[in-house]
Amino acid sequence: MTASTRHPGRGWMRVSLVLLGLVSIGAAWWRLNTDGGDEEGEPGSASAAAMREAGSGGELAVPVILDTVRFGTLTLRVSATGQTEASDRATVAARVAGRIVALRVMESDPVARGQVVARMDPGEHVLAVRRAEADVAEAEARFREMTLFDDRIQDPAVRQERARAARARSGLDRADVALSRARLDLAHTALTAPIAGRVANVLVDEGEYVSAGEDLLSVVDVDPILVEVQVVEGELRWLDEGGTAGITLPALPDEVFHGRIRSINPVVDPETRTVRVTVVLSNPDGRILPGMFARVSLEGLSLVDRVMVPEEAIVERDDRTLVFVFEPISDGARGEGLAKWVYVTTGRSNDRYVELLDTEGADPPAPGSLVITGGNYTLIHDARVRIATEDGARGPDVETP
């Protein structure tokens, strides 16, 4: 007896499974070729519909920021960093040894030139003056004894020579010098400010004993105040003494201070290849303190009659420089247009604007044209854009005729 005759139902089961699989495949093929079609029998899907919509004018406009092509004077600027310095500084030091009996100022106090800032105990020096005065009186008595009858000498030259010799022998000359020294030491017990300014770095307290030559405090003049910066030698040709400068200080971040170039050092540092440039600016309220970090923009050469754009308008693509010009479209919504790229050749620049040169193969856009300065790095030619905001003329660097 064979297996088929022993189990006749197994063969029918295999046939049924094969038929069921064929029916499933056919149903899937039918749905794949009929679902999603429209009334005209075209294949369709959500992505295809979106593509058709985009192709029929549904392209989204990219938001951009615009600025204007300008014609005017481009002022070159040199940027540098430095540190604020007092315009004058002096140290008050003890001229004689003694004890501080009065300290009349505190740090940051304003003082005038010659104002007494501290006093030392004068007692010892008062006694020294009296002793010197007594020595002078004694020497004068000896001098008179030596020249008692000299008024009878008829020859004036002889009388003068005898008087000179008598002063030396009597010790009157030495006594006069000692008296002058004692009086000067007494005067030095009153310590005065050598310049007008503000008190800084007080190093002593009342009651403290100090030695001759010991520093007691400093006086700094902070109005005007100086900023010293180092400028690369190649940029020095753009600068002149008297030129203007803009100064920003991280310690006072919301303000821009204006000064002028006071001096340009005629010597180049051989190690850094830089030159020290000193800027002076007014500081009447004393808010700018010596030692503050400063960023300085120095006004340099002025180039007249130049076509320029804000530096944000410049884009680099495939080693070429271009700008996107905004071209309004009449059939779009208000404020929409097309981004047209224009190859340009750039010239000199300052911290805000870039000069556009008229060269072969690079015709700059005309002054007054609108260029895209924001949202332009991902644009392509003829991209649809819309104005997010417009920026007008920006600052004193440009003088529009």
Side-chain angles (χ1 to χ4, degrees):
M1 183 178 294
T2 64
S4 60
T5 58
R6 286 197 304 266
H7 302 285
R10 292 184 178 178
W12 289 107
M13 290 176 63
R14 293 192 186 97
V15 174
S16 298
L17 290 173
V18 172
L19 291 175
L20 180 60
L22 292 174
V23 171
S24 299
I25 293 173
W29 179 88
W30 184 83
R31 285 195 300 269
L32 183 63
N33 285 274
T34 57
D35 288 354
D38 55 19
E39 293 181 354
E40 298 176 357
E42 296 178 354
S45 65
S47 58
M51 293 175 62
R52 289 196 304 271
E53 178 67 18
S56 62
E59 178 185 356
L60 294 178
V62 178
V64 295
I65 300 174
L66 304 183
D67 209 322
T68 308
V69 179
R70 292 165 169 78
F71 180 80
T73 299
L74 176 67
T75 300
L76 302 182
R77 294 187 178 274
V78 176
S79 297
T81 59
Q83 182 173 289
T84 57
E85 301 285 348
S87 56
D88 200 0
R89 180 188 298 268
T91 300
V92 178
R95 303 292 294 273
V96 295
R99 191 173 305 279
I100 302 295
V101 295
L103 184 61
R104 297 185 173 179
V105 293
M106 300 176 61
E107 290 183 350
S108 195
D109 285 350
V111 292
R113 181 176 183 177
Q115 178 181 334
V116 175
V117 295
R119 286 190 180 277
M120 303 175 66
D121 184 0
E124 182 179 342
H125 301 285
V126 171
L127 293 177
V129 170
R130 291 179 179 176
R131 183 168 53 250
E133 290 174 342
D135 292 342
V136 169
E138 183 179 348
E140 287 177 342
R142 289 194 295 270
F143 173 78
R144 285 192 297 270
E145 290 177 359
M146 294 178 181
T147 60
L148 182 60
F149 300 107
D150 284 6
D151 56 344
R152 298 177 183 179
I153 300 174
Q154 298 299 320
D155 190 342
V158 174
R159 289 199 308 271
Q160 184 177 3
E161 178 61 25
R162 283 180 57 82
R164 186 192 63 79
R167 287 183 65 89
R169 291 198 306 270
S170 65
L172 183 56
D173 285 340
R174 289 193 304 272
D176 281 341
V177 171
L179 178 58
S180 296
R181 176 76 262 179
R183 286 173 175 170
L184 183 61
D185 289 345
L186 178 60
H188 285 161
T189 60
L191 302 165
T192 60
I195 61 172
R198 297 171 65 180
V199 176
N201 302 330
V202 177
L203 304 175
V204 295
D205 295 314
E206 288 187 4
E208 185 175 345
Y209 186 89
V210 297
S211 303
E214 183 176 344
D215 292 344
L216 308 181
L217 54 86
S218 299
V219 179
V220 294
D221 184 3
V222 295
D223 185 26
I225 202 162
L226 308 179
V227 182
E228 293 187 351
V229 297
Q230 299 296 325
V231 175
V232 178
E233 60 178 332
E235 298 178 335
L236 196 64
R237 66 186 186 276
W238 298 343
L239 304 179
D240 290 309
E241 292 183 356
T244 62
I247 301 97
T248 57
L249 306 167
L252 302 169
D254 299 328
E255 297 182 69
V256 177
F257 300 90
H258 300 282
R260 60 178 179 83
I261 300 175
R262 189 178 76 169
S263 62
I264 300 175
N265 191 352
V267 178
V268 177
D269 188 320
E271 294 184 359
T272 63
R273 311 310 306 174
T274 60
V275 174
R276 186 177 69 252
V277 176
T278 302
V279 175
V280 60
L281 63 152
S282 178
N283 186 34
D285 51 9
R287 291 188 303 140
I288 304 176
L289 304 179
M292 286 183 173
F293 179 78
R295 295 184 177 90
V296 181
S297 177
L298 303 169
E299 178 185 302
L301 184 67
S302 293
L303 307 175
V304 299
D305 298 338
R306 304 300 166 118
V307 177
M308 67 202 81
V309 294
E311 61 179 7
E312 297 87 356
I314 302 297
V315 179
E316 299 289 338
R317 294 278 176 88
D318 297 327
D319 297 326
R320 296 195 66 179
T321 304
L322 58 92
V323 297
F324 282 97
V325 176
F326 177 81
E327 182 179 288
I329 53 177
S330 59
D331 60 342
R334 182 180 180 182
E336 291 194 2
L338 298 178
K340 301 284 188 177
W341 69 25
V342 177
Y343 289 111
V344 295
T345 300
T346 58
R348 298 184 184 183
S349 64
N350 59 20
D351 55 349
R352 300 178 69 177
Y353 297 99
V354 178
E355 176 188 12
L356 301 184
L357 303 178
D358 189 357
T359 61
E360 183 178 356
D363 187 14
S369 304
L370 294 177
V371 290
I372 299 175
T373 58
N376 50 347
Y377 284 97
T378 58
L379 293 178
I380 61 174
H381 186 61
D382 278 341
R384 194 181 186 97
V385 295
R386 61 179 175 84
I387 302 173
T389 181
E390 290 189 358
D391 189 8
R394 303 191 312 172
D397 292 359
V398 174
E399 301 170 5
T400 303

